[in-house]
Amino acid sequence: MTETIAGIRIPDSTMAREATQLVRDVVSDVVYDQCRRVFLFGSLRGEQEGLAFDPELLYVGAMFHDLGLTEKFRTTHQRFEVDAADEARRFLLSQGINQQETETVWAAIALR
């Protein structure tokens, strides 16, 4: 089911649904809602600035950006942002996303 908020269509592909489920399984409702807001604000700002972006990659990046705060994805040897970026990389590659696009999402999460 396609959902639109503030004129922004929430991605509803298989990849987006799997990303959503992964996040829902490990974060609280508060963090989940905050991740969706990151996607919405990023999309709105990108549109406002006239930027070309892939909504699905932005969605995965936004949804995964705090996964490193969770017990399941947190490590003790790197920053939580890098833990989150590493999981986004693993997920995107498993979905068949190419290396360049995957590394763009990784950098957006890890270097924020």
Side-chain angles (χ1 to χ4, degrees):
M1 173 175 70
T2 302
E3 180 180 12
T4 301
I5 300 172
I8 301 298
R9 188 185 72 75
I10 307 297
D12 190 36
S13 65
T14 299
M15 180 174 75
R17 288 190 305 273
E18 289 178 10
T20 299
Q21 190 59 55
L22 186 149
V23 172
R24 289 297 259 164
D25 287 347
V26 297
V27 304
S28 67
D29 288 345
V30 171
V31 173
Y32 171 77
D33 290 341
Q34 185 267 343
C35 292
R36 283 174 47 105
R37 284 192 299 275
V38 167
F39 168 74
L40 292 167
F41 287 129
S43 296
L44 288 167
R45 184 62 183 204
E47 287 183 357
Q48 182 181 45
E49 295 293 322
L51 301 175
F53 60 92
D54 183 316
E56 291 209 51
L57 295 179
L58 176 60
Y59 183 78
V60 171
M63 295 306 290
F64 279 47
H65 84 276
D66 278 340
L67 282 182
L69 294 171
T70 68
E71 189 173 325
K72 181 172 183 175
F73 297 107
R74 177 178 43 235
T75 67
T76 58
H77 64 279
Q78 59 191 17
R79 295 178 298 111
F80 80 89
E81 296 94 341
V82 176
D83 292 333
D86 286 348
E87 181 55 23
R89 176 192 285 147
R90 185 207 62 75
F91 177 82
L92 289 169
L93 290 173
S94 77
Q95 296 290 317
I97 302 302
N98 72 51
Q99 189 71 35
Q100 182 177 351
E101 290 175 323
T102 296
E103 291 307 317
T104 298
V105 174
W106 186 94
I109 296 169
L111 305 177
R112 64 183 161 111

